[in-house]
Amino acid sequence: MGEPTAELIRAQIRRLRNAAGLNQEEFGRLVHYSASMVSAVETGGRPYDRLFLARADEVLNSGGLLVALLKMAERDGLPSWLRPWLEAERNARQLRCFHPTLIPALLQTANYARAVIRCDDLLSDAEMERRVTARMDRQDVLRQENPPQLVAVFDEGLLHRRDESFRGLLAQQIEHLVACAEHPHVSVHVLPLHVGLHIGMSGPFTLARGEEGGWVASMECQLTTSVIDGDADVATLLSRWEMIRSEALSRRQSLELLKEVVTSWT
């Protein structure tokens, strides 16, 4: 995180604490920090974390300001090629996600996301955790007051990557999918193995429809996520989406399959 942003957050902690009429010792007791630790956080001698900021927001009745500032700073630290898509995702009214090999990011558990991101052994532990946090923050779009409609399709084949070290994690992920699908704005569909070859094997993509009705898309590769907004290309992806969705199981059938898979492991 850039120093100007970090200093802004520290300044807001000091401002809100003073406005609440709390000295560092009083504030520390409420957030389970010592006065010396509060002082170190406010002066930059000690880093703050999300848990501390969440506690501070609650104690200082700041409406989530401090955590929101942290999220903004983390988004600013993301690669420039990803930011346009995240903006489209946050403003979407409808989302259509397909992935042939992974659970779509908006439906991943933190442990599943961590396992996927950890596959890149060039990342430091700190960078890996930063990416996990950023991915979990993206899911806030599904928890807002007026969330978009999300329809997600993924290939059944990913349910069969389940060596002993991965099985518990995947079972937790499937249970999370089932819980997500209980919400009326989330629909999960499995593309069954018997479909064989299909157009989706060319790679994952996501479509987002904004407030004004226009669609944009993203396509992932090993290094970047490309935003697609040309009319012809978006129309092609919408057509491919319809072909993939038509081959997938219904919502009810998909949930039954997911439950059966977990049951078969136990």
Side-chain angles (χ1 to χ4, degrees):
M1 184 184 306
E3 182 56 31
T5 303
E7 177 53 37
L8 171 63
I9 293 175
R10 290 194 292 269
Q12 290 301 312
I13 295 171
R14 293 191 296 269
R15 180 185 68 79
L16 291 166
R17 178 178 59 76
N18 289 326
L22 298 171
N23 60 36
Q24 290 179 338
E25 184 175 356
E26 293 167 334
F27 175 62
R29 283 199 297 270
L30 294 172
V31 295
H32 313 304
Y33 268 43
S34 67
S36 61
M37 290 174 68
V38 170
S39 175
V41 166
E42 291 186 352
T43 58
R46 176 187 174 91
Y48 47 76
D49 59 20
R50 184 171 297 225
L51 178 60
F52 171 82
L53 294 182
R55 286 175 176 164
D57 274 329
E58 182 177 352
V59 167
L60 300 172
N61 195 27
S62 59
L65 172 65
L66 299 174
V67 171
L69 287 173
L70 179 62
K71 288 181 178 181
M72 290 173 60
E74 289 171 342
R75 285 199 298 267
D76 288 343
L78 292 171
S80 59
W81 47 262
L82 184 57
R83 295 174 198 165
W85 173 249
L86 295 183
E87 185 68 19
E89 191 175 72
R90 283 194 297 271
N91 295 321
R93 302 312 315 137
Q94 294 181 29
L95 289 163
R96 304 287 183 263
C97 306
F98 169 72
H99 209 298
T101 56
L102 296 171
I103 302 298
L106 290 177
L107 296 174
Q108 292 179 3
T109 65
N111 286 335
Y112 183 93
R114 186 173 291 107
V116 170
I117 293 169
R118 186 180 283 130
C119 290
D120 184 351
D121 58 8
L122 297 179
L123 297 178
S124 66
D125 288 346
E127 175 61 16
M128 178 187 68
E129 289 301 327
R130 188 187 70 81
R131 294 192 184 191
V132 171
T133 298
R135 186 165 299 183
M136 295 301 100
D137 285 346
R138 287 172 60 185
Q139 298 178 6
D140 286 347
V141 71
L142 299 179
R143 294 186 285 267
Q144 61 189 352
E145 185 175 350
N146 185 25
Q149 179 198 51
L150 169 66
V151 182
V153 178
F154 55 86
D155 198 280
E156 182 185 353
L158 69 88
L159 301 176
H160 300 288
R161 293 182 179 276
R162 53 176 198 247
D163 62 68
E164 290 300 325
S165 63
F166 189 59
R167 181 174 291 186
L169 184 152
L170 189 54
Q172 179 192 55
Q173 173 64 68
I174 293 174
E175 290 169 357
H176 177 69
L177 283 173
V178 172
C180 288
E182 292 177 353
H183 298 284
H185 61 283
V186 177
S187 186
V188 173
H189 300 269
V190 177
L191 192 65
L193 290 174
H194 64 68
V195 170
L197 295 175
H198 57 83
I199 191 65
M201 296 180 76
S202 298
F205 63 91
T206 303
L207 292 147
R209 181 177 181 270
E211 288 279 3
E212 298 180 359
W215 289 89
V216 295
S218 73
M219 297 185 66
E220 300 176 31
C221 72
Q222 286 280 343
L223 298 177
T224 65
T225 295
S226 301
V227 176
I228 311 296
D229 56 9
D231 290 345
D233 290 337
V234 169
T236 296
L237 289 175
L238 282 167
S239 176
R240 292 186 178 187
W241 164 262
E242 292 299 330
M243 287 188 282
I244 293 168
R245 174 63 190 86
S246 68
E247 295 280 10
L249 299 177
S250 70
R251 183 177 185 175
R252 179 183 58 80
Q253 291 171 321
S254 296
L255 293 179
E256 288 176 353
L257 174 60
L258 292 173
K259 293 174 183 178
E260 287 172 5
V261 167
V262 173
T263 302
S264 72
W265 298 345
T266 56

